[in-house]
Amino acid sequence: EAQVTQNPRYLITVTGKKLTVTCSQNMNHEYMSWYRQDPGLGLRQIYYSMNVEVTDKGDVPEGYKVSRKEKRNFPLILESPSPNQTSLYFCASSRGARGYGYTFGSGTRLTVV
Amino acid sequence: DQQVKQNSPSLSVQEGRISILNCDYTNSMFDYFLWYKKYPAEGPTFLISISSIKDKNEDGRFTVFLNKSAKHLSLHIVPSQPGDSAVYFCAASETGNQFYFGTGTSLTVIP
């Protein structure tokens, strides 16, 4: 089944403790992206990647890092999480930038206390 | 500052009638627009897209209309079905890489 898999689905952590949210897609998509969803703000793009080793900042990149060493994986790294990063995170992939919609993962609900 | 706005947080429609969801944008450089549907505890699902060279795109019961002069797009669902009850997001892009989403409209289709 074609899908984007995020792990974990739920995570509670403490301020300052580094964490990684993994994202993997099995559709050989070149394009991947991370979003966060917050009440009243919709989905906001954190980072995107157009291919292996090619990443760029989205709308709200502060406090996040990403890497794209392989085509299928696009982990999101929070080096020093803070409470304002408590949010619902979505990873997404697409065959290309235009003409194709994203396939989204099921989401990771992160709480930073 | 929100570049894509969905001013109606919620909408209720009778089954079989038309649902019209609206979206406004501020950036005149946006040239690619999409609609997504989201059920609780799931990621958004791509529905339909339109590029700025068109003013209408149709896919089954779903039609997206684009009015570039008004910077407005809308999604029409005809006929509406109870399974269409979900949150609908519009999104827009200038480059095709960076996408801006609206805050969503929760549609309830009443049987």
Side-chain angles (χ1 to χ4, degrees), chain B residues 11-20 80 107-111:
Chain B
L11 174 69
S12 290
V13 170
Q14 287 289 136
E15 181 178 3
R17 306 293 290 268
I18 184 172
S19 295
I20 300 176
S80 301
L107 173 66
T108 301
V109 180
I110 303 162

Side-chain angles (χ1 to χ4, degrees), chain A residues 31 40 45 97-100 102 105, chain B residues 31-32 36 94 96-99:
Chain A
Y31 191 84
Q45 194 171 28
R98 288 185 175 279
Y100 308 99
Y102 282 118
Chain B
D31 63 355
Y32 182 53
Y36 287 85
E94 176 185 346
N97 294 320
Q98 193 160 355
F99 285 85

Side-chain angles (χ1 to χ4, degrees), chain A residues 8-85:
Chain A
R9 288 294 305 272
Y10 301 92
L11 178 60
I12 301 174
T13 190
V14 296
T15 299
K17 185 176 180 183
K18 181 180 178 180
L19 67 92
T20 300
V21 183
T22 64
C23 174
S24 180
Q25 50 95 1
N26 63 1
M27 296 164 282
N28 202 35
H29 284 170
E30 291 186 349
Y31 191 84
M32 297 185 75
S33 188
W34 276 102
Y35 287 85
R36 60 178 288 175
Q37 183 185 4
D38 301 290
L41 296 174
L43 287 108
R44 293 180 294 167
Q45 194 171 28
I46 303 170
Y47 269 94
Y48 62 91
S49 168
M50 289 174 282
N51 213 325
V52 175
E53 302 291 2
V54 181
T55 63
D56 208 346
K57 296 177 182 178
D59 212 21
V60 287
E62 297 78 18
Y64 305 94
K65 284 174 58 176
V66 292
S67 69
R68 187 92 181 273
K69 293 186 170 59
E70 309 163 277
K71 200 170 188 178
R72 63 182 292 126
N73 296 323
F74 191 44
L76 179 69
I77 302 154
L78 286 74
E79 294 269 2
S80 183
S82 63
N84 65 13
Q85 293 177 297

Side-chain angles (χ1 to χ4, degrees), chain B residues 64-85:
Chain B
V64 56
F65 295 92
L66 176 62
N67 182 334
K68 290 185 288 293
S69 60
K71 297 194 187 69
H72 177 84
L73 67 155
S74 60
L75 176 68
H76 292 209
I77 306 173
V78 184
S80 301
Q81 300 173 353
D84 296 330
S85 297

